Amino acid sequence: MSDYYQTLGVQKGATDDEIKRAFRKLAMKHHPDRGGDEAQFKKIQEAYATLSDPQKRAEYDNPRPQMGGFEFNGGPMPAGMEDIISQMFGGANPFFGHGFRQPRQQRNRDLNLETSISLEDAYLGKNLVANIQLPSGKEQVLEIKIPPGMNTGQRLRVSGVGDDYIPNMPRGDIYVHIHVSPHPEFRREGDDLLKDISISVWEAMLGTEIKLKTLDNRELNVNIPAGTQPGTIMRLAGYGMPHVNDQRFKGNILLNIRVNIPTMLSETQKNLIKQLST
């Protein structure tokens, strides 16, 4: 017959609290859901089932000749065991009916990473290769495909490549949090791109044509018609950011027209303007 006191690592005169603490510590270490050995865990259960019950412990300490050793067969748990197991697993009891089973899958932790990309990368999409160190100490090469249209605050999930600290349990996921760096020319609002365009007062009055480079390096010729007023918003449809969930659709480029009005004119220039305005 097994020595239950030795199995739990306590003295024969151990108190109920000492037995409970010993069981909790060993169960955390040897539970199969945490990578432990199932046979050893059953021995620990068997020992605790006997020593935590005053009547069974008395019979174990002073066995009668007709009795054999007690064997835990998956019947009702001794008082207190269910509470201990429930606390170990965050309120979820992995024991079910006779014996034990796992009602919901336990797995390792999810991990979080952050990355910064340019607005051009967000427009075109980007493939990243990252060398990361897992909590277990292992090095891992992670390939991340960032689709076009991602924006700051969004995240990607890479399944099954997260924490692997506890063996024999499924790995967690990795969540990659995206930050898009500010652009020197364009401001992003949703899928639209805003850009300020400055023209002279003469160009506003007479009209002009400007060249505009898009995020994918295309060059557009944009006609600004005569009589354009300060603060006019010109819309270039379909040249904005791709929609992250359906890249067939794109936002717009919105040009905010600013008119530079000269502040220092010579007398000759002022007289010419007066003549034109009459």
Side-chain angles (χ1 to χ4, degrees):
M1 181 174 62
S2 300
D3 186 336
Y4 293 151
Y5 293 102
Q6 184 178 1
T7 298
L8 294 181
V10 297
Q11 298 295 322
K12 188 172 181 179
T15 65
D16 291 342
D17 285 342
E18 289 173 338
I19 290 172
K20 183 181 293 186
R21 286 197 300 270
F23 170 73
R24 185 192 300 270
K25 180 178 179 180
L26 292 172
M28 290 283 287
K29 179 179 179 181
H30 294 287
H31 196 283
D33 288 346
R34 296 177 178 270
D37 180 73
E38 182 174 333
Q40 181 63 26
F41 183 72
K42 287 184 176 180
K43 291 180 181 179
I44 296 167
Q45 284 182 275
E46 179 183 325
Y48 183 71
T50 297
L51 299 184
S52 63
D53 185 289
Q55 181 178 347
K56 291 177 181 176
R57 183 177 180 181
E59 292 174 351
Y60 174 77
D61 289 341
N62 302 283
R64 289 176 293 176
Q66 68 270 26
M67 287 188 63
F70 179 82
E71 180 180 359
F72 183 72
N73 61 5
M77 295 183 195
M81 183 186 287
E82 185 171 358
D83 290 339
I84 292 174
I85 297 296
S86 178
Q87 291 171 15
M88 287 166 49
F89 287 84
N93 184 357
F95 294 86
F96 179 80
H98 296 287
F100 67 90
R101 59 177 290 186
Q102 191 175 341
R104 60 184 179 88
Q105 188 180 48
Q106 301 288 329
R107 64 173 192 163
N108 281 279
R109 294 178 302 160
D110 296 333
L111 303 177
N112 292 287
L113 299 177
E114 295 184 4
T115 186
S116 293
I117 60 175
S118 67
L119 189 59
E120 287 85 354
D121 291 335
Y123 182 89
L124 298 169
K126 183 169 183 146
N127 293 329
L128 295 177
V129 177
N131 189 8
I132 64 173
Q133 185 174 43
L134 299 172
S136 63
K138 296 178 183 177
E139 296 284 339
Q140 174 173 280
V141 176
L142 183 65
E143 296 184 3
I144 307 166
K145 184 174 183 179
I146 300 176
M150 291 292 287
N151 203 352
T152 294
Q154 293 180 313
R155 66 180 188 175
L156 297 170
R157 186 182 72 168
V158 188
S159 301
V161 295
D163 184 21
D164 65 347
Y165 188 80
I166 303 175
N168 302 321
M169 284 180 61
R171 296 180 65 173
D173 300 332
I174 286 183
Y175 288 91
V176 183
H177 298 257
I178 304 297
H179 173 77
V180 181
S181 301
H183 194 270
E185 295 184 22
F186 290 104
R187 302 188 305 279
R188 182 173 180 177
E189 291 189 2
D191 290 338
D192 290 337
L193 295 172
L194 279 68
K195 180 177 172 62
D196 294 329
I197 297 294
S198 294
I199 60 175
S200 70
V201 66
W202 321 114
E203 290 171 326
M205 289 189 295
L206 301 173
T208 188
E209 184 177 271
I210 64 170
K211 293 186 182 298
L212 177 70
K213 184 172 286 188
T214 64
L215 290 176
D216 56 352
N217 282 323
R218 285 182 291 173
E219 193 171 80
L220 305 178
N221 294 319
V222 180
N223 180 54
I224 298 178
T228 296
Q229 300 298 306
T232 297
I233 302 294
M234 296 185 62
R235 183 169 70 98
L236 306 180
Y239 289 99
M241 298 295 295
H243 194 287
V244 69
N245 294 323
D246 191 341
Q247 294 158 26
R248 296 174 301 173
F249 299 97
K250 291 186 177 181
N252 309 307
I253 289 181
L254 303 176
L255 300 179
N256 177 33
I257 306 300
R258 294 182 173 180
V259 178
N260 293 326
I261 299 175
T263 57
M264 297 181 65
L265 296 174
S266 66
E267 290 300 321
T268 301
Q269 291 171 324
K270 291 179 181 179
N271 290 330
L272 287 173
I273 293 172
K274 288 178 181 178
Q275 292 176 18
L276 291 172
S277 62
T278 57

